[in-house]
């Protein structure tokens, strides 16, 4: 079990390499793919909501959104009900690359899970889901304490 986190990190890095080789968009960095998926699936979310969903700190989200905005992928506007928040929306440019990123991500999962019985994948998904929820709880406590 001690190797578990290293294995997950290696799978994640391998996925980044795979996606980078399969997606023909030169002005997106590997870390931006998660932003594309999250923003296109939930347009108008606040930067804070994105930070929570992607498990990133607010300054990292702000930096990435600035880069995406400068490259024409997102626009940020004041939240319609709370002017203290900033809502993030995909541009046509982001919406155009979204299907390709989603497709390549699906291909990766199909290739990665090839040969593994569905029942085993269901158990694995259940365990990972519970671990993710627990990790979120623990991270949330750390944020509250700081």
């Amino acid at each position: 079990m001690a190797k578990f986190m290293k294995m997950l990190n290696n799978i994640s890095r391998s996925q980044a390499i795979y996606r980078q080789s399969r997606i023909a968009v030169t002005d997106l960095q590997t870390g931006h793919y998660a932003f594309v998926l999250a923003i296109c699936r939930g347009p108008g979310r606040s930067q804070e909501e994105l930070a929570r969903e992607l498990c990133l700190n607010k300054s990292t989200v702000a930096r990435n959104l600035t880069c995406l905005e400068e490259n024409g992928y997102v626009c940020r506007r004041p939240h319609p009900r709370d002017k203290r928040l900033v809502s993030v929306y995909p541009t046509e440019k982001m919406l155009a690359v979204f299907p390709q990123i989603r497709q390549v991500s699906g291909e990766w999962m199909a290739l990665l899970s090839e040969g593994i019985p569905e029942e085993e994948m269901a158990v694995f998904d259940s365990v990972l889901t519970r671990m993710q929820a627990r990790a979120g709880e623990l991270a949330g406590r750390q944020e509250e304490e700081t």
Side-chain angles (χ1 to χ4, degrees):
M1 190 66 168
K3 300 186 299 183
F4 178 72
M5 293 306 295
K6 181 179 180 184
M7 290 177 182
L8 285 179
N9 283 328
N10 285 342
I11 292 168
S12 179
R13 286 188 199 106
S14 297
Q15 179 190 32
I17 292 167
Y18 179 80
R19 279 197 280 197
Q20 197 69 29
S21 71
R22 303 273 296 140
I23 297 173
V25 180
T26 57
D27 57 350
L28 279 177
Q29 299 170 12
T30 305
H32 292 153
Y33 298 137
F35 283 90
V36 172
L37 293 170
I39 293 166
C40 287
R41 288 180 180 146
R45 287 192 229 182
S46 70
Q47 291 183 191
E48 289 78 7
E49 290 170 316
L50 286 170
R52 276 192 303 277
E53 180 181 336
L54 299 175
C55 296
L56 297 169
N57 63 44
K58 292 176 188 177
S59 62
T60 299
V61 170
R63 267 192 314 278
N64 278 275
L65 290 176
T66 296
C67 182
L68 289 168
E69 191 171 37
E70 288 171 353
N71 286 313
Y73 286 99
V74 298
C75 61
R76 293 187 270 189
R77 297 184 212 132
H79 192 277
R81 291 182 301 277
D82 187 345
K83 300 299 181 201
R84 296 170 295 173
L85 298 176
V86 175
S87 296
V88 182
Y89 296 91
T91 63
E92 291 301 319
K93 186 175 180 180
M94 180 179 275
L95 292 171
V97 299
F98 174 60
Q100 184 182 14
I101 291 172
R102 192 175 56 195
Q103 177 187 343
V104 171
S105 294
E107 287 172 8
W108 172 254
M109 279 308 300
L111 290 168
L112 193 62
S113 59
E114 192 174 288
I116 301 173
E118 239 179 87
E119 304 81 37
E120 288 182 34
M121 287 304 297
V123 170
F124 183 64
D125 184 58
S126 173
V127 170
L128 279 180
T129 299
R130 291 193 320 253
M131 290 178 84
Q132 179 184 12
R134 179 71 177 138
E137 290 170 12
L138 294 170
R141 283 190 207 148
Q142 294 302 313
E143 283 184 0
E144 290 172 6
E145 293 173 6
T146 56

